């Protein structure tokens, strides 16, 4: 992640000589801090603490900090958020927690909140606070653009650093300690809430050694605690914890306090300050297991494809070359029998071409996004950049979507070009937007911060209608303007009857089997991706993800090649839709795994959260279906014919008169090789009397 950034910095340094200035990604430049007496324009003394949305693993509904009755700072303006942050529901606000560099504070009061159960408005706020503790909602604080972490010991002596900490916890009526209540033995009262109203914050810094003044923050850790302050004006942060009985009916006062200390850390540099968080995440050896598992599947499929191409087809070619009589030549078998039907337009060619165009758009978007993520431009420190990049790329890639859809639709013999370009522009994006809008209505109704503001929805629609749709029309224009793809063989007027198929060559069993191996390559990586989405864990191993992406593309291609060859050998020439659905069926396994993950791994409760989970899952399944089905339908059926002249003029003339037309043209006994390959994205065909290539 840091290597490309360092190389780019070196290039810019050389270009800017003799000035020596470092280069950093926008928004990721280091900030120098120094004591109040040494404050300058390049060295700040005040350390600001920002608060983000609060979320829970037991609910899909996040809420912004202002929705809770915590200490707030309404005077300061909240920082601007990019499109990705808004879509992910991040709402960063300034907080009343202010520190001065190297100035330590002990048990400093922030504010006091009073709740009277007799007043409906205050009772509603208190009940909302209790509900959030019951569902284990967690704070997310930010200092110097990095999360304030709560580090604690877990099993096997490991230490986990959570980029959030809970509001509080609850002791059930039967005395069971839920969630964070296990950290303190004093939390023992039944049917009681304990709120963490005090935090001990420790900020680690590293002295700058390159000549600049001040220091840079390299870590910020806290420990949540609970105290019932008897003297709000002069708290001492000692005594019994702050408890709120579930049946309490009197006045309740909650005093929020904090302590802050500073410690120099020489072993951590600013460039590697995220490492201690990432190292406490799921271990890397599990990721390597996923890669090795995927590579084994790829090697297995590659061996199968090589065996078929080099052995089975080689036998066919040798047998074809050894035929001496016309009667033998006429006894064709297997895939040679369907050469007159192989280019027959598929049923529902309009829909297939639209899916291919949308899949092209998603495939390129995914590749470019992951490529930039591998270079470090879309790291977790650059908040919202990943989603922003994906959305912008999708909008700008309307042209290849329209071109591919139009090109294939025209090759299928379609003439309704207006319908084709309109469906390409609106069908799949419209389904996603309709699902997204319904989920947004639910979020609006629940008052969640994940609800997209009306202005942002208008902006997304403007990007779609004003940029993506016109670009799709431009691509479709060039696609329809080109001549239709000319096939090297004529399609028979009467469709050939397809013989009765065995079980594994029937459409449904073949499609179901085709998605198993691609899903086997990704299911381990899929667990970490779902964890980052629904369990609010940080995902940063984009190098692993990019490698799995490449392996997935290869696996889908080879699985489709194998099954398509088996189907053609069984004289079933309906290969277009089957090729798309064979690899696209991986999305069905993705859906099944998401259902399993919901019931076995998550603790989500509530009707709204359940609907939101499956609603967003259906969007991911549709995108994954188009992505996996799209590139592997482009098959290449290559027939290489070499006109072998026989000795003697009479033999040649006699052979030319009696030789039947084959997939290689009217050539006498041509050695015909059919190979099936993926990623054939060229625009047409090249043909010659001796070489017929379908690309």
């Amino acid at each position: 992640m840091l290597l490309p950034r360092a190389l780019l910095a070196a290039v810019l340094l050389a270009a800017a000589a003799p000035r020596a200035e470092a280069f950093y990604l926008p928004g990721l430049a280091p900030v120098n801090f120094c004591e109040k007496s040494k404050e300058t324009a390049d060295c700040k003394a005040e350390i600001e603490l920002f608060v983000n949305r609060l979320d829970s693993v037991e609910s899909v509904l996040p809420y912004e900090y202002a929705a809770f009755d915590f200490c707030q700072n309404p005077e300061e303006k909240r920082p601007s958020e990019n499109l990705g942050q808004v879509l992910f529901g991040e709402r960063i606000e300034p907080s009343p927690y202010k520190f001065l560099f190297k100035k330590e504070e002990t048990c400093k009061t922030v504010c006091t909140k009073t709740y009277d159960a007799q007043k409906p408005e205050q009772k509603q706020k208190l009940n909302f606070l209790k509900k959030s503790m019951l569902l284990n909602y967690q704070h997310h604080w930010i200092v110097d653009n990095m999360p304030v972490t709560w580090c604690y010991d877990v099993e096997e002596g490991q230490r986990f650093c959570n980029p959030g900490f809970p509001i509080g916890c609850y002791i059930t009526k039967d005395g069971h300690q839920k969630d964070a209540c296990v950290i303190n033995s004093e939390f023992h009262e039944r049917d009681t809430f304990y709120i963490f109203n005090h935090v001990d914050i420790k900020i680690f810094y590293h002295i700058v050694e390159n000549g600049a003044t001040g220091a840079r923050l390299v870590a910020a850790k806290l420990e949540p605690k609970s105290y019932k302050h008897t003297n709000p004006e002069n708290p001492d942060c000692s005594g019994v914890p702050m408890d709120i009985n579930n049946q309490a009916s009197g006045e309740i006062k909650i005093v929020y306090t904090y302590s802050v200390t500073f410690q120099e850390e020489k072993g951590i540099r600013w460039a590697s300050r995220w490492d201690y968080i990432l190292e406490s995440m799921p271990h890397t050896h599990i990721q390597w297991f996923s890669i090795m598992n995927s590579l084994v599947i790829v090697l297995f499929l590659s061996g199968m494809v090589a065996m078929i191409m080099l052995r089975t087809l080689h036998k066919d070619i040798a047998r074809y070359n050894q035929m001496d009589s016309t009667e033998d030549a006429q006894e064709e078998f297997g895939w040679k029998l369907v050469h007159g039907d192989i280019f027959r337009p598929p049923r529902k060619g309009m829909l297939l071409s639209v899916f291919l165009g949308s899949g092209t758009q998603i495939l390129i978007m995914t590749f470019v996004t992951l490529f930039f993520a591998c270079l470090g431009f879309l790291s977790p420190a650059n908040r919202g950049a990943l989603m922003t990049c994906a959305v912008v790329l999708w909008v700008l890639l309307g042209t290849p979507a329209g071109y591919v859809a139009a090109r294939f639709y025209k090759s299928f013999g379609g003439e309704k070009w207006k319908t084709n370009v309109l469906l390409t522009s609106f069908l799949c994006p419209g389904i996603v937007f309709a699902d997204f809008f319904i989920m947004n209505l639910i979020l609006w109704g629940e008052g969640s911060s994940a609800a997209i503001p009306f202005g942002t929805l208008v902006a997304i629609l403007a990007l779609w209608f004003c940029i993506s749709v016109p670009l799709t029309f431009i691509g479709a224009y060039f696609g329809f303007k080109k001549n239709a793809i000319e096939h090297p063989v004529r399609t028979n007027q009467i469709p050939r009857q397809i013989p009765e198929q065995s079980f594994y060559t029937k459409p449904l069993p073949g499609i179901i089997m085709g998605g198993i191996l691609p899903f086997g390559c990704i299911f381990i990586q899929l667990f970490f991706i779902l964890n980052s989405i629904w369990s609010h864990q940080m995902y940063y191993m984009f190098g692993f993800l990019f490698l799995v992406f490449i392996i997935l593309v290869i696996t889908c291609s080879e699985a489709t090649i194998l099954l398509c060859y088996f189907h053609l050998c069984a004289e079933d020439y309906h290969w277009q839709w089957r090729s798309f659905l064979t690899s696209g069926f991986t999305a069905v396994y993705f859906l099944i795994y998401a259902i399993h993950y919901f019931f076995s791994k998550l603790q989500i409760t509530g009707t709204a959260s359940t609907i939101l989970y499956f609603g967003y899952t259906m969007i991911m399944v549709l995108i994954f279906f188009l992505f996996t089905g799209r590139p592997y339908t482009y098959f290449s059926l290559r027939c290489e014919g070499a006109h072998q002249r026989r000795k003697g003029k009479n033999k040649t003339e006699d052979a030319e008169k009696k030789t039947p037309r084959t997939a290689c043209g009217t050539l006498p006994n041509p050695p015909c090789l059919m190979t099936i390959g993926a990623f054939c994205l060229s625009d047409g065909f090249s043909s010659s009397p001796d070489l017929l290539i379908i690309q």
Side-chain angles (χ1 to χ4, degrees), residues 574-600:
H574 296 308
W575 60 273
Q576 293 96 335
W577 268 111
R578 187 174 293 186
S579 298
F580 185 89
L581 295 175
T582 295
S583 53
F585 200 81
T586 310
V588 177
Y589 291 106
F590 173 38
L591 175 60
I592 296 172
Y593 184 82
I595 296 173
H596 164 74
Y597 180 83
F598 176 82
F599 288 105
S600 64

Side-chain angles (χ1 to χ4, degrees), residues 135 166 202 253 275 283 311 370 402 465 540-541 575 613:
L135 294 176
K202 179 178 286 189
K253 282 189 177 182
D275 289 357
H283 294 296
R311 185 175 181 179
L370 291 180
F465 284 95
Y540 65 98
M541 291 188 176
W575 60 273
Y613 176 86

Side-chain angles (χ1 to χ4, degrees), residues 35-228:
E35 299 176 41
K36 184 66 175 178
S37 59
K38 301 178 182 178
E39 184 177 14
T40 62
D42 298 328
C43 190
K44 297 172 57 177
E46 185 180 58
I47 300 175
E48 295 181 280
L49 188 147
F50 292 92
V51 291
N52 203 343
R53 66 176 186 179
L54 287 84
D55 51 37
S56 169
V57 295
E58 300 181 25
S59 175
V60 180
L61 301 169
Y63 292 96
E64 58 183 327
Y65 186 83
F68 298 86
D69 193 30
F70 297 132
C71 303
Q72 299 180 17
N73 188 4
E75 298 178 359
E76 293 191 19
K77 184 180 179 181
R78 64 190 302 169
S80 59
E81 295 151 347
N82 57 40
L83 179 61
Q85 288 177 289
V86 175
L87 293 178
F88 271 127
E90 292 193 9
R91 301 291 184 269
I92 299 177
E93 305 175 18
S95 76
Y97 296 86
K98 304 293 182 183
F99 320 125
L100 291 177
F101 183 69
K102 284 191 176 181
K103 183 181 179 181
E104 299 187 351
E105 301 281 358
T106 302
C107 203
K108 184 174 181 179
T109 302
V110 183
C111 70
T112 301
K113 294 292 182 178
T114 304
Y115 302 96
D116 189 349
Q118 304 302 323
K119 297 180 179 180
E121 184 179 354
Q122 294 184 7
K123 183 179 180 181
Q124 184 180 5
K125 292 180 179 179
L126 182 61
N127 289 337
F128 187 67
L129 196 61
K130 290 179 181 179
K131 182 181 178 182
S132 65
M133 288 188 281
L134 186 64
L135 294 176
N136 195 29
Y137 271 83
Q138 301 205 353
H139 290 277
H140 294 280
W141 290 1
I142 302 169
V143 168
D144 193 27
N145 198 37
M146 68 178 306
V148 182
T149 58
W150 175 34
C151 298
Y152 51 90
D153 295 326
V154 292
E155 66 273 2
E156 298 180 1
Q158 297 178 355
R159 192 165 181 80
F160 176 71
C161 291
N162 186 6
F165 66 97
I167 297 174
C169 60
Y170 175 63
I171 304 294
T172 62
K173 293 181 180 180
D174 57 359
H176 174 66
Q177 294 178 315
K178 287 195 62 179
D179 304 316
C181 280
V182 298
I183 67 174
N184 194 336
S185 60
E186 295 184 4
F187 298 163
H188 54 77
E189 294 292 335
R190 298 189 176 190
D191 196 20
T192 301
F193 294 92
Y194 290 91
I195 186 168
F196 295 119
N197 60 334
H198 175 84
V199 287
D200 287 332
I201 304 174
K202 179 178 286 189
I203 298 178
F204 299 84
Y205 62 91
H206 178 82
I207 301 297
V208 182
E209 299 175 354
N210 59 3
T213 59
R216 293 173 181 172
L217 307 187
V218 294
K221 301 179 182 180
L222 62 75
E223 185 177 353
K225 294 182 179 180
S226 178
Y227 296 114
K228 180 177 286 186

Side-chain angles (χ1 to χ4, degrees), residues 157-391:
Q158 297 178 355
R159 192 165 181 80
F160 176 71
C161 291
N162 186 6
F165 66 97
I167 297 174
C169 60
Y170 175 63
I171 304 294
T172 62
K173 293 181 180 180
D174 57 359
H176 174 66
Q177 294 178 315
K178 287 195 62 179
D179 304 316
C181 280
V182 298
I183 67 174
N184 194 336
S185 60
E186 295 184 4
F187 298 163
H188 54 77
E189 294 292 335
R190 298 189 176 190
D191 196 20
T192 301
F193 294 92
Y194 290 91
I195 186 168
F196 295 119
N197 60 334
H198 175 84
V199 287
D200 287 332
I201 304 174
K202 179 178 286 189
I203 298 178
F204 299 84
Y205 62 91
H206 178 82
I207 301 297
V208 182
E209 299 175 354
N210 59 3
T213 59
R216 293 173 181 172
L217 307 187
V218 294
K221 301 179 182 180
L222 62 75
E223 185 177 353
K225 294 182 179 180
S226 178
Y227 296 114
K228 180 177 286 186
H229 300 292
T230 56
N231 185 5
E233 302 299 329
N234 188 22
D236 57 358
C237 293
S238 63
V240 296
M242 181 64 207
D243 59 335
I244 305 174
N245 191 277
N246 200 22
Q247 306 300 325
S249 58
E251 187 179 77
I252 299 174
K253 282 189 177 182
I254 303 177
V255 181
Y256 291 92
T257 57
Y258 75 91
S259 299
V260 60
T261 58
F262 293 85
Q263 178 178 326
E264 183 179 359
E265 180 58 67
K266 297 181 179 180
I268 303 178
R269 302 273 181 177
W270 182 88
S272 58
R273 62 180 187 165
W274 285 73
D275 289 357
Y276 83 96
I277 304 175
L278 304 181
E279 287 172 359
S280 70
M281 304 297 285
H283 294 296
T284 308
H285 71 270
I286 301 178
Q287 304 275 350
W288 281 116
F289 174 77
S290 171
I291 299 297
M292 295 305 298
N293 170 67
S294 303
L295 287 175
V296 168
I297 294 177
V298 168
L299 292 175
F300 169 74
L301 285 175
S302 300
M304 291 286 292
V305 172
M307 181 186 69
I308 288 177
M309 297 306 167
L310 299 179
R311 185 175 181 179
T312 308
L313 291 179
H314 182 72
K315 284 185 178 180
D316 292 346
I317 296 167
R319 186 185 306 174
Y320 208 82
N321 289 335
Q322 293 173 1
M323 293 178 181
D324 294 329
S325 63
T326 304
E327 290 75 19
D328 291 336
Q330 290 177 345
E331 293 179 3
E332 296 179 344
F333 58 91
W335 48 265
K336 300 187 188 70
L337 294 173
V338 296
H339 68 270
D341 298 278
I342 196 70
F343 296 110
R344 191 174 302 281
R347 304 184 185 97
K348 306 293 182 181
M350 172 79 78
L351 185 61
L352 179 60
S353 64
V354 170
F355 283 171
L356 291 173
S358 298
T360 302
Q361 194 174 11
I362 295 171
L363 177 67
I364 301 175
M365 176 198 74
T366 306
F367 177 82
V368 176
T369 302
L370 291 180
F371 180 75
F372 279 115
C374 287
L375 295 180
F377 290 98
L378 308 178
S379 67
N382 202 351
R383 303 176 188 278
L386 186 70
M387 178 59 75
T388 303
C389 178
V391 172

